[in-house]
Amino acid sequence: MSKIIIAATPAHGHVAPLLTIAADLVRRGDKVVFLGGARFKERVEAVGAYFTALPAEADYDDRRMDREFPMRGQLPPGPVQLGFDVKHIFGDPVPAQYEALRRLLADIPADVVISDNLFLGALPLSLASGPGTRPVTVSVGVSPPPPATGWGPEIHVDAQEYLEKLFESVGVTLPGFALTSLITVPDHYLQLTVPGFEFPRDDLPSSFRFVGPLPSAPTGTFERPSWWKELSDGRPVVVTTQGTFANVDLEELVIPTLRVLADSGALVVAATARPGGVEDVRAIMGDIPGNARPADFIPFDLLLPHADVLVTNGGYGGVHAALRHGVPLVVGGVTEDKPLIAARVAWSGTGIDLGTARPDDAALRSAVNTVLSTPSYRARAQELAKEFTRFDALESIAELVDAAARQG
């Protein structure tokens, strides 16, 4: 039995994939301790892992970001807001995250520490001592890999100096560009995608591996709505969502999609991914279009096999869920890593990048109709779905864990 610590940034998009990993390792008989946000305690324990809460100074509720980080809401989406995120959402928790890991390791001599790629407090663990004197460190790429050099136009240069000082405060030195360190510092970096969805690069270290996306989380009890049979009535099915993070304002993408397709021959399913989402749609729109089927929560692994296109703001998990089922995309997102993901959708030929989170009606209607009427988008999405089957992320992780336990 291997002993594993899993550390996750306290946001749904980071916790969900690591919970899938935790559940698989528990199923294989390993002891798993999960270090994460307090609100995820029940979900962690439900998969059979032991839960340890992050210190308060490293925890926050990603459903209320403007309340947790008041300054963030005053910044425009894009480069300025992204610079804030790098420094304060992912950077500031480093000392508390690292201390929490050290304390856990003092009680639990883990063979492996697995973290999401933006849990920066795991980097000092690798930097403070070499392999063989500490657990094997594994970083899981739940977002696109960072660029090779420079902050680029999307992040402020002062974030580099800011992070350097934070790491110096815990006694380690970043070995160069901070974002590159996310890949080069851990013993293993596992990107949850396939080569066909990533820009070609020749600068990646030998520790970098594509392992493919994780399987969808098992669907719990789900009562199919009365309209479910309409998914198979021959109409094109358009699914729209803003994911679980940037879904405060449904008028960015969800409501416009329902509106511009109201007179189309498509069935439009809106996955609001939040409690009371249907009532919110009704309050905004008044009369819900006759071809619209809004829902608070709906499992994608059940819905997407019926979809002809997904209109989304571009979360990494949601995009890969669509591609797993060979569903092409229309993507519009400008916060967090969403522009990077949208660019990969366009580059891979699996969909259209709207270039904005608030497209005008004509652009949105045109993009959806183009994807529906152009077979190449579907064909490319199906090619990636086939490529996915050649990878097994959970098996790759289990092999690393087993190897680390033997060495330990």
Side-chain angles (χ1 to χ4, degrees):
M1 179 180 71
S2 302
K3 298 182 181 67
I4 303 142
I5 293 174
I6 295 181
T9 301
H12 173 81
H14 297 248
V15 170
L18 293 192
L19 271 178
T20 299
I21 294 169
D24 184 68
L25 292 171
V26 169
R27 181 185 63 80
R28 293 171 184 265
D30 296 321
K31 177 179 180 180
V32 178
V33 178
F34 199 104
L35 176 64
R39 80 178 182 93
F40 298 102
K41 180 177 187 294
E42 291 184 3
R43 291 178 59 186
V44 169
E45 293 177 342
V47 305
Y50 299 91
F51 176 78
T52 297
L54 283 165
E57 57 269 37
D59 198 3
Y60 54 83
D61 190 335
D62 64 310
R63 299 167 299 182
R64 303 177 177 87
M65 293 299 283
D66 287 349
R67 183 185 304 173
E68 299 277 7
F69 301 93
M71 283 295 297
R72 185 179 189 270
Q74 301 173 29
L75 302 174
V80 175
Q81 194 176 90
L82 189 54
F84 178 94
D85 292 352
V86 169
K87 291 190 292 184
H88 303 298
I89 294 179
F90 301 114
D92 285 346
V94 164
Q97 289 174 344
Y98 180 40
E99 180 59 24
L101 279 175
R102 291 178 63 190
R103 290 185 179 185
L104 265 181
L105 287 167
D107 294 331
I108 304 165
D111 301 298
V112 182
V113 172
I114 301 173
S115 60
D116 70 83
N117 59 326
L118 289 171
F119 190 95
L120 304 188
L123 296 183
L125 187 63
S126 297
L127 293 169
S129 56
T133 62
R134 54 163 173 77
V136 171
T137 54
V138 179
S139 182
V140 179
V142 302
S143 58
T149 58
W151 290 96
E154 66 273 0
I155 304 177
H156 284 304
V157 174
D158 68 339
Q160 173 73 20
E161 294 183 358
Y162 192 89
L163 292 182
E164 287 176 353
K165 291 177 182 178
L166 277 171
F167 279 86
E168 288 171 1
S169 74
V170 298
V172 299
T173 300
L174 278 175
F177 178 45
L179 291 189
T180 300
S181 296
L182 302 185
I183 292 178
T184 60
V185 168
D187 297 326
H188 302 276
Y189 185 98
L190 309 180
Q191 190 65 45
L192 297 180
T193 193
V194 295
F197 193 66
E198 186 53 52
F199 299 127
R201 293 173 61 169
D202 58 8
D203 63 300
L204 297 172
S206 59
S207 56
F208 181 102
R209 289 174 59 192
F210 290 104
V211 295
L214 291 165
S216 300
T219 300
T221 303
F222 174 68
E223 184 176 348
R224 289 167 173 78
S226 59
W227 51 260
W228 193 262
K229 60 182 179 296
E230 297 178 57
L231 294 170
S232 303
D233 68 6
R235 285 181 287 176
V237 176
V238 177
V239 176
T240 181
T241 186
Q242 290 176 208
T244 58
F245 184 71
N247 68 353
V248 174
D249 184 3
L250 295 179
E251 293 188 76
E252 288 185 348
L253 204 58
V254 168
I255 298 299
T257 302
L258 296 178
R259 183 177 63 246
V260 304
L261 298 180
D263 59 353
S264 71
L267 180 69
V268 187
V269 181
T272 64
R274 70 190 206 191
V278 174
E279 292 307 312
D280 292 338
V281 170
R282 184 171 287 112
I284 295 169
M285 299 194 75
D287 294 331
I288 295 177
N291 67 334
R293 302 293 181 267
D296 291 354
F297 296 97
I298 189 163
F300 264 20
D301 61 321
L302 298 181
L303 176 61
L304 287 175
H306 300 279
D308 293 287
V309 62
L310 175 65
V311 181
T312 174
N313 57 358
Y316 207 54
V319 165
H320 280 83
L323 295 176
R324 179 183 294 281
H325 295 286
V327 178
L329 303 118
V330 171
V331 185
V334 297
T335 59
E336 300 88 44
D337 56 1
K338 292 178 174 62
L340 303 177
I341 298 166
R344 284 160 170 80
V345 167
W347 171 81
S348 64
T350 57
I352 291 176
D353 176 7
L354 293 166
T356 175
R358 294 183 180 274
D360 62 55
D361 287 3
L364 179 57
R365 183 184 295 107
S366 174
V368 173
N369 289 337
T370 298
V371 171
L372 286 174
S373 63
T374 308
S376 63
Y377 291 112
R378 184 83 180 191
R380 278 295 295 140
Q382 291 175 339
E383 286 174 10
L384 279 190
K386 186 176 181 179
E387 187 176 355
F388 285 4
T389 65
R390 299 199 290 269
F391 292 81
D392 188 332
L394 293 178
E395 185 63 29
S396 296
I397 293 167
E399 289 173 358
L400 285 179
V401 168
D402 290 345
R406 289 194 298 270
Q407 292 171 3

